[in-house]
Amino acid sequence: MNTQNEAGTGAGATHRVLVLGAGYAGMAAAVQLAARTARREDVTVTVVDAHERFTERMRLHMTATGQRLAELSVPELLEGTGARFVRGWVTAVDADARAVRIDDDRSLHYDTLVYALGSVADTATVPGVEDHAYALNSTQDAEVLAERLARLGGGTVVVGGNGPTGIESAAEIAERHPELDVVLLGRQEPGAALHPKARAYVRAALGRLGVRIRSGTDVVKVRPGAVETADGDSVPADVVLWTGGTRVSPMAAAAGPAVDERGRIVTDGALRSVSHPDVYAVGDAAAIRQGYGVMHGTCQGGMPSGVHAAVSIVRALRGKEPKPFRFGFYHTPVSLGRHDAVVQFTHPDDSPRRMYLTGRTAVRYKEVVTASPWTTYGRMKKMPASGAFWPRGGRFTRVKGGAR
């Protein structure tokens, strides 16, 4: 194995920061950190990801129905920041040795690590999902599904899991492929976390698109041509799209940092690993505790966590103590095809407020939200402080007893 240190030799006083993952949170951390250390010759920033193209996870349901999206280049965005991009799969992390293996034949060493490898669809819990269902983990996954749907010509598509991703996917497929019978199947009512009136709007919108809703049941097995449910029923399916929950890579647990029951790195208030303070964890890969509990993974929380980690690293490099991270949720936008949507405004703990938007107004709002990350990264290159504004959540996010 080639064990050369591609991030530097460690000689002198150079502080090597390695960012693993160029998703929403990882890119926020990388751009913010590079911008804030651009004039420092003693700090290097290296970003590692398996793909040069940025994955717009909030648009994968569009890609899955054959809609062409802009190709956003991670290396091009990083141009001018001083950060370096390394393309490759992260195959192992050794937090004690401060080393990361790439593609099993390269090794990068770091002084500070930002772990932002995110999450993927949980295809391991239910038998048959791994072998017989599609998932939306990457642009490539979505494109493969789009090709399959285009070839069907008719038949049934079962979307397993009726959270926001399931709702958006079912609506998009039904709108783009009216020749297909789309079944949205899950344990809860679609939009269960929304205000009752917003939830009713979602159900009505899905009905107008011809989506058949089956709530109150679990999928216990996926087999060729059908899914089996906990109530003993079998639902015919020419295609199964799995959106029923997420999981993180076991790599974090194997790396050494303390993790929670879901394998997420447990962080202190500054987003450092509680066991390895030279490791910061952000986005879906981190178990970040706020006053209302542990944050769930979304873009709206992932990007602020990436920015905060970068700011914390800069403070530490200056000999200052990082400040605790606080974040309050503020909305849940859900698209219902290209011409309809619902936007649920929330309390900081993500519980629904009475206020929500629907129809064209919600569509425009949702598009602004979906398009904002890339422009935000570009703005942070020139004005890094512009990325440090988000709702702190007030009393909802205050952890009793201070930062852990």
Side-chain angles (χ1 to χ4, degrees):
M1 182 182 75
N2 178 7
T3 58
Q4 68 179 347
N5 174 18
E6 296 192 6
T9 63
T14 300
H15 190 96
R16 301 157 299 177
V17 183
L18 188 59
V19 180
L20 301 185
Y24 292 112
M27 284 300 291
V31 173
Q32 183 74 203
L33 185 59
R36 288 179 180 266
T37 61
R39 297 182 180 180
R40 296 188 57 158
E41 296 183 356
D42 59 341
V43 179
T44 63
V45 180
T46 302
V47 183
V48 180
D49 198 271
H51 306 286
E52 291 188 0
R53 180 179 178 179
F54 180 74
T55 301
E56 290 190 279
R57 293 184 69 91
M58 291 189 291
R59 295 191 194 270
L60 287 180
H61 56 282
M62 298 170 61
T63 304
T65 55
Q67 300 175 66
R68 295 186 62 84
L69 305 178
E71 295 198 13
L72 306 177
S73 170
V74 172
E76 287 181 10
L77 179 72
L78 293 176
E79 284 183 3
T81 67
R84 189 166 69 98
F85 177 75
V86 173
R87 181 175 180 177
W89 290 96
V90 177
T91 53
V93 178
D94 187 336
D96 293 324
R98 296 183 179 178
V100 176
R101 291 175 66 188
I102 308 297
D103 294 331
D104 277 336
D105 64 358
R106 292 177 287 170
S107 181
L108 296 95
H109 294 266
Y110 64 84
D111 297 296
T112 298
L113 179 72
V114 179
Y115 190 94
L117 291 179
S119 64
V120 295
D122 184 2
T123 57
T125 303
V126 176
V129 171
E130 191 77 50
D131 297 322
H132 306 300
Y134 293 82
L136 298 180
N137 293 324
S138 67
T139 301
Q140 290 75 16
D141 287 346
E143 289 172 345
V144 170
L145 176 57
E147 292 175 2
R148 177 70 177 111
L149 294 175
R151 294 196 308 267
L152 270 182
T156 301
V157 177
V158 171
V159 179
N162 51 18
T165 301
I167 293 170
E168 292 188 328
S169 299
E172 208 76 35
I173 294 170
E175 182 177 88
R176 300 285 291 190
H177 293 283
E179 74 280 6
L180 300 178
D181 182 22
V182 180
V183 180
L184 179 59
L185 194 157
R187 182 181 302 131
Q188 296 181 310
E189 181 79 7
L194 308 181
H195 185 276
K197 291 184 177 180
R199 189 187 317 147
Y201 186 91
V202 168
R203 189 177 186 92
L206 291 172
R208 288 191 295 272
L209 290 169
V211 176
R212 290 195 289 128
I213 299 171
R214 291 194 54 173
S215 304
T217 189
D218 287 323
V219 174
V220 296
K221 186 176 183 180
V222 177
R223 54 184 176 81
V227 298
E228 298 177 6
T229 64
D231 54 12
D233 196 7
S234 179
V235 182
D238 296 279
V239 169
V240 177
L241 171 59
W242 191 254
T243 67
T246 61
R247 60 181 171 85
V248 299
S249 168
M251 191 180 305
V259 298
D260 69 355
E261 68 283 355
R262 292 182 55 189
R264 298 173 297 184
I265 295 176
V266 180
T267 69
D268 66 7
L271 305 185
R272 297 169 295 200
S273 162
V274 295
S275 61
H276 292 72
D278 53 350
V279 175
Y280 289 74
V282 298
D284 295 1
I288 303 171
R289 180 165 294 281
Q290 299 288 280
Y292 50 76
V294 177
M295 288 175 57
H296 63 79
T298 64
C299 173
Q300 66 174 304
M303 289 180 64
S305 71
V307 171
H308 188 85
V311 173
S312 294
I313 292 170
V314 171
R315 288 184 63 86
L317 290 172
R318 293 173 177 170
K320 298 180 179 180
E321 182 64 24
K323 296 180 180 180
F325 175 71
R326 292 175 63 185
F327 172 80
F329 295 98
Y330 47 96
H331 63 201
T332 302
V334 181
S335 65
L336 299 166
R338 294 299 85 211
H339 309 291
D340 201 359
V342 62
V343 177
Q344 174 69 67
F345 294 100
T346 69
H347 296 286
D349 63 354
D350 206 31
S351 60
R353 298 181 184 270
R354 296 180 63 181
M355 183 180 177
Y356 61 93
L357 304 175
T358 61
R360 293 284 186 177
T361 303
V363 169
R364 289 192 290 269
Y365 185 105
K366 175 71 160 60
E367 177 55 29
V368 169
V369 170
T370 304
S372 64
W374 202 251
T375 56
T376 299
Y377 299 144
R379 186 169 59 250
M380 285 196 301
K381 289 172 63 174
K382 298 180 179 180
M383 299 180 293
S386 66
F389 294 94
W390 60 80
R392 263 55 179 186
R395 61 182 177 82
F396 287 87
T397 60
R398 193 172 294 113
V399 177
K400 293 182 179 180
R404 292 173 297 115

